[in-house]
Amino acid sequence: MKGLFCRAAVNDAEPKFVIQETSLPEALSSNQIRVKVKACGLSPLDLKLLGDLGIQRDFIPVGREVAGVILQVGPKVSFFQPQDEVVGILPLDSPCSGLCEVIDIDEYYLVLKPEKLSSVCVAGALRDGLCAYTALHTHARIAAGHTLLVMDGASSFGLMCIQLACYHGVKVLTTSHSPQKRTFLEQLRPSVVRVIPVDNSSSDLLSVVLEETGGLGVDIVIDSGVCLQEEEETEETKFLPHKHDIISVLGVGGHWVTSHQDLQLDPPDCRLLYLKSASVSFLNPEVWTASSAQQGRYLHILKDIVEKMSAGVLRPQPEEAVPLYEATVAMEAVQCHQKKKAVVQL
């Protein structure tokens, strides 16, 4: 059977994605499950993280957010049985590509998929739902009455944050990068308090946030990346907020959840955070599968996400599924950030 793999780059060369033959062992280990994959979500591959964790291979499996049907269970599997529909995220060190027709995975990485939820929908949105849940509950510890600023709310991750926050009674502000995205965000139900356009140089994020919060600032900011002030503005960073802007809109005791891996805070930035008694935390979406310390909590989160999707609380933007033979091109576009997400239907 065929799967999608990333050929490790040499020096500064771009990684190459290839479809190649692979196989599974005949027998399952004690807690493993054999799953027939129906759909697989594609997200950018973090090669630097894999290197930091010592996961080095000539061919790295690609595609980890999977939805499918159980074909066979190991002798000690207790949570599932054949014909159950399941969804989950393959661990970083999994030898299987999620785009294989059949994969083996440990039962502790899977949850049951609600019947009314499509495989394509859940495979395309599971990772963003997990990131939103981690940012809002694990890091920011949201509660009803909090005020939240979501940067780039029209992105798949931003949309999940907005919907999850509104469900918990949080007052939500967000930014938009174009008039079309602004219109989309203003039509959301439940609605956000304010959509702040940042598609032109005249946008003043701080003044709008202070106006909406009575001069107090927001309790939580969730970004999708940060433009460091030393960097030159590029096409990719021109809509990203500067770190000083984010710190400025935080209220006393506020919390900033950032996706920027290489964030650098200068002494004046730290001083401003200190004066506000504010905090910063880093959102690493791989932390749940990189460590088994909180495996039970992770499964609870996955189960809650798919149940909220099934109930319509979380309504992800639909992704048009592509066939397997287009997976290489789709993954190249995702890796180059030409598109945020892709879903392959098997």
Side-chain angles (χ1 to χ4, degrees):
M1 77 187 157
K2 299 182 183 296
L4 182 64
F5 294 82
C6 174
R7 184 184 297 156
V10 179
N11 299 327
D12 294 329
E14 291 292 326
K16 299 292 184 182
F17 296 98
V18 295
I19 292 178
Q20 67 174 26
E21 290 290 335
T22 184
S23 61
L24 296 175
E26 290 187 11
L28 290 171
S29 61
S30 298
N31 292 100
Q32 276 194 325
I33 291 173
R34 186 153 290 173
V35 178
K36 180 178 176 59
V37 179
K38 286 187 170 183
C40 177
L42 299 179
S43 300
L45 196 61
D46 193 338
L47 297 171
K48 188 175 185 301
L49 175 63
L50 293 174
D52 291 340
L53 295 176
I55 303 173
Q56 297 177 339
R57 297 170 178 158
D58 292 335
F59 289 93
I60 301 168
V62 175
R64 295 175 45 230
E65 303 106 88
V66 297
V69 180
I70 294 177
L71 298 177
Q72 184 182 349
V73 299
K76 293 187 178 179
V77 170
S78 55
F79 295 157
F80 305 101
Q81 58 188 5
Q83 301 308 313
D84 283 346
E85 293 197 52
V86 292
V87 60
I89 299 177
L90 297 175
L92 283 166
D93 60 352
S94 171
C96 293
S97 163
L99 277 82
C100 293
E101 184 180 351
V102 179
I103 61 170
D104 289 348
I105 180 173
D106 194 287
E107 67 172 323
Y108 302 114
Y109 293 108
L110 297 171
V111 294
L112 290 171
K113 180 182 77 66
E115 186 176 346
K116 63 186 292 186
L117 193 61
S118 78
S119 297
V120 170
C121 174
V122 72
L126 187 63
R127 181 185 173 91
D128 292 316
L130 178 64
C131 287
Y133 209 109
T134 304
L136 291 172
H137 289 288
T138 307
H139 291 308
R141 302 190 182 280
I142 60 166
H146 278 169
T147 307
L148 166 70
L149 172 62
V150 178
M151 309 305 296
D152 190 13
S155 66
S156 52
F157 167 61
L159 185 61
M160 285 291 195
C161 288
I162 290 172
Q163 293 172 346
L164 191 58
C166 288
Y167 173 77
H168 288 287
V170 174
K171 179 179 177 181
V172 181
L173 292 80
T174 188
T175 62
S176 64
H177 293 172
S178 68
Q180 294 81 5
K181 290 183 177 181
R182 181 179 182 182
T183 302
F184 168 75
L185 291 168
E186 288 175 341
Q187 293 174 345
L188 285 178
R189 293 294 180 271
S191 59
V192 298
V193 172
R194 182 80 174 263
V195 180
I196 308 168
V198 293
D199 52 324
N200 58 67
S201 57
S202 61
S203 301
D204 191 346
L205 183 65
L206 178 59
S207 63
V208 174
V209 170
L210 292 180
E211 176 189 337
E212 289 292 340
T213 59
L216 298 177
V218 294
D219 298 300
I220 306 159
V221 176
I222 297 178
D223 69 41
S224 296
V226 181
C227 182
L228 302 181
Q229 293 184 358
E230 298 80 24
E231 295 177 340
E232 294 184 5
E233 191 175 272
T234 65
E235 191 65 29
E236 287 187 2
T237 63
K238 67 179 181 179
F239 292 133
L240 294 179
H242 286 282
K243 56 184 179 179
H244 185 75
D245 295 336
I246 290 182
I247 297 172
S248 298
V249 301
L250 279 174
V252 172
H255 195 86
W256 172 17
V257 182
T258 182
S259 301
H260 200 291
Q261 299 183 17
D262 304 314
L263 180 68
Q264 296 177 356
L265 295 178
D266 301 319
D269 301 321
C270 295
R271 178 64 181 173
L272 188 52
L273 285 168
Y274 167 76
L275 291 173
K276 296 185 176 193
S277 193
S279 57
V280 181
S281 61
F282 291 85
L283 178 61
N284 177 4
E286 307 296 353
V287 70
W288 296 106
T289 55
S291 169
S292 59
Q294 300 189 54
Q295 196 73 20
R297 188 177 181 189
Y298 169 61
L299 289 177
H300 172 78
I301 291 172
L302 286 187
K303 183 179 178 182
D304 198 35
I305 290 168
V306 296
E307 287 178 350
K308 281 183 167 59
M309 285 186 197
S310 179
V313 173
L314 297 177
R315 303 176 305 283
Q317 292 175 288
E319 292 284 345
E320 184 177 349
V322 300
L324 180 60
Y325 64 83
E326 294 183 11
T328 303
V329 175
M331 186 62 204
E332 288 174 352
V334 169
Q335 190 70 18
C336 296
H337 303 289
Q338 295 174 358
K339 58 187 299 186
K340 297 287 185 181
K341 172 75 68 175
V343 182
V344 177
Q345 189 167 17
L346 284 80

